[in-house]
Amino acid sequence: MNRIITLDEFIIKRQKDFPYASGELTGLLRDIGVAAKIVNREVNKAGLLNILGVAGSENASGEEVQKLDLYANEKLIDCLKNSGECCGVASEELEDFVPIQSVSGKTSKYVVVFDPLDGSSNIDVNVSVGTIFGIYRRQSEAEGPCQMDDFLQKGTELVAAGYVLYGTSTLLVYSTGRGVNGFTLDPTIGEFCLSHTDIQIPDRGNYYAVNQGYYLKFDVEMRRYIDYCSDMNLRLRYIGSMVSDIHRILFQGGIFLYPNTRKYPQGKLRLVYECNPLSFIVEQAGGKGITCQLERILELPVNHLHQRATIAIGSPGMVDEMKAFVERYSAAPTFNNGQ
Ligand code: AHM
Ligand code: MG
């Protein structure tokens, strides 16, 4: 039997790769792992506890909030507050960031951003949802409380990022900038165990993920690319939970698209909580993440916490192909009278 390597063991081992590491990041990742187990427990028994459904409020982006989102949000904040390894958090569910007071006078140098439960429209129907997180080194003085600028850093500044997928099994995938590894929760021992080492995204795949229902609202170059995917007999898979769609693509190859629409001229997905952490993971696995206007996601300036971005992300060969389509069709002259 292969020896089991738990998440904690793996993280501690990896800390030794960084000779000057203080253990803070190690501790932070472990705390996120603990929060993930707590959220996982509630996601699994949500039906029993009657905590499914809409909580009756709207989040900072004006969307309906599900009860389980609030629960996941609270648990993550609680775990990070107790850990003492982080000086502030920003969540997709909250308007503003939350500074965290130092525990026993210890000054911590990291801030954490997260989407506590991505794909929340799936909760009521037992379809996969996930938690997405990113960790930045604070820019403000270590002595005082964290500042807004600590959270408005480009994705290139991420120290670590990851996601937890609450699916048929529960998986935690993360990277500290040295490859991507995945851990599956073994419910019998309550531990995340190393299950996917050095994940590499295929150069191409058979899947494309896009909300085809918005087809007519996409720009012409994006419609041409989607037509091409269909002509090539690629399989359309769209779960409606970005983290789940990206997970499939990470392992099997493909492309995920969320272009601008009339309703969301800047795109719908959040740069800080969704696009940057997932682009970090995908790039670390050898993939690419760009906007539908062809800028690298990780290099986008971040102006506010709930900024949105368009996104095309996944297998490098397919993102390059999408880019070529956009370049070709946006350069094409337009004629009157339908010529
Ligand atoms: P959420 O974080 O509020 O759940 O919203 C983000 C989700 C993504 O996970 C998903 O890809 C997208 O919104 C689905 O949007 P749409 O229903 O417009 O296709
Ligand atoms: Mg989300």
Side-chain angles (χ1 to χ4, degrees):
M1 191 180 106
N2 288 340
R3 199 175 81 76
I4 288 172
I5 299 175
T6 66
L7 176 65
D8 286 5
E9 197 182 339
F10 185 86
I11 291 171
I12 290 167
K13 261 195 194 154
R14 280 293 162 105
Q15 189 191 326
K16 291 186 190 136
D17 294 348
F18 303 91
Y20 302 106
S22 61
E24 244 181 280
L25 181 62
T26 304
L28 203 44
L29 288 165
R30 282 166 56 178
D31 294 332
I32 291 172
V34 171
K37 284 189 222 172
I38 298 172
V39 173
N40 176 64
R41 190 186 61 197
E42 297 309 308
V43 168
N44 283 334
K45 68 180 185 191
L48 299 171
L49 288 181
N50 192 27
I51 60 169
L52 290 172
V54 177
S57 59
E58 288 192 342
N59 68 12
S61 303
E63 292 147 327
E64 275 187 335
V65 171
Q66 308 275 323
K67 281 182 195 171
L68 214 50
D69 295 24
L70 296 177
Y71 181 87
N73 191 45
E74 274 168 29
K75 285 302 145 202
L76 271 153
I77 294 176
D78 285 352
C79 284
L80 293 168
K81 268 187 179 162
N82 293 336
S83 86
E85 309 292 8
C86 132
C87 63
V89 296
S91 160
E92 192 194 293
E93 296 301 339
L94 302 174
E95 187 80 43
D96 291 318
F97 66 89
V98 180
I100 293 178
Q101 286 207 329
S102 64
V103 176
S104 10
K106 189 175 155 194
T107 52
S108 52
K109 54 176 183 277
Y110 296 106
V111 295
V112 181
V113 296
F114 55 83
D115 178 353
L117 219 50
D118 177 61
S120 45
S121 64
N122 285 326
I123 296 170
D124 279 348
V125 287
N126 256 0
V127 177
S128 303
V129 289
T131 297
I132 307 170
F133 64 90
I135 302 176
Y136 290 95
R137 195 167 281 113
R138 72 183 293 180
Q139 300 296 306
S140 53
E141 292 297 320
E143 280 62 45
C146 63
Q147 305 292 326
M148 181 61 96
D149 282 349
D150 295 327
F151 298 93
L152 301 185
Q153 300 188 54
K154 289 183 181 176
T156 46
E157 304 308 308
L158 278 162
V159 173
Y163 63 83
V164 186
L165 181 67
Y166 311 102
T168 42
S169 53
T170 299
L171 245 105
L172 187 150
V173 173
Y174 85 95
S175 173
T176 52
R178 293 188 174 199
V180 184
N181 294 287
F183 301 79
T184 303
L185 183 64
D186 181 341
T188 60
I189 56 170
E191 293 283 358
F192 281 106
C193 303
L194 182 62
S195 50
H196 303 83
T197 317
D198 193 20
I199 298 165
Q200 295 290 323
I201 191 168
D203 183 53
R204 312 186 62 81
N206 287 324
Y207 295 101
Y208 69 113
V210 64
N211 189 334
Q212 190 101 17
Y214 302 150
Y215 179 84
L216 292 175
K217 297 171 178 86
F218 297 148
D219 293 341
V220 64
E221 54 270 23
M222 201 49 63
R223 295 204 300 260
R224 292 294 85 85
Y225 177 67
I226 292 168
D227 293 345
Y228 167 78
C229 291
S230 167
D231 290 347
M232 296 297 288
N233 287 328
L234 295 188
R235 296 175 197 150
L236 172 62
R237 296 285 186 277
Y238 190 69
I239 300 170
S241 155
M242 185 192 192
V243 68
S244 314
D245 282 311
I246 295 288
H247 183 72
R248 179 202 303 280
I249 286 167
L250 193 61
F251 282 86
Q252 301 186 331
I255 187 165
F256 174 95
L257 305 162
Y258 206 114
N260 42 299
T261 60
R262 269 174 242 145
K263 184 174 175 194
Y264 294 113
Q266 313 299 325
K268 176 190 174 188
L269 300 171
R270 278 50 128 221
L271 179 58
V272 173
Y273 308 111
E274 294 162 328
C275 300
N276 269 337
L278 291 175
S279 295
F280 183 83
I281 291 286
V282 166
E283 282 202 6
Q284 280 295 316
K288 291 189 177 178
I290 61 174
T291 65
C292 297
Q293 292 69 40
L294 312 185
E295 310 120 306
R296 183 179 172 216
I297 293 280
L298 294 181
E299 287 176 12
L300 292 177
V302 186
N303 303 314
H304 60 92
L305 285 176
H306 294 279
Q307 188 170 328
R308 295 174 191 264
T310 58
I311 192 164
I313 182 171
S315 291
M318 296 174 79
V319 173
D320 285 345
E321 204 165 51
M322 189 286 305
K323 192 172 170 209
F325 262 81
V326 171
E327 281 165 349
R328 189 175 334 141
Y329 284 97
S330 49
T334 49
F335 299 101
N336 292 329
N337 307 322
Q339 289 176 62

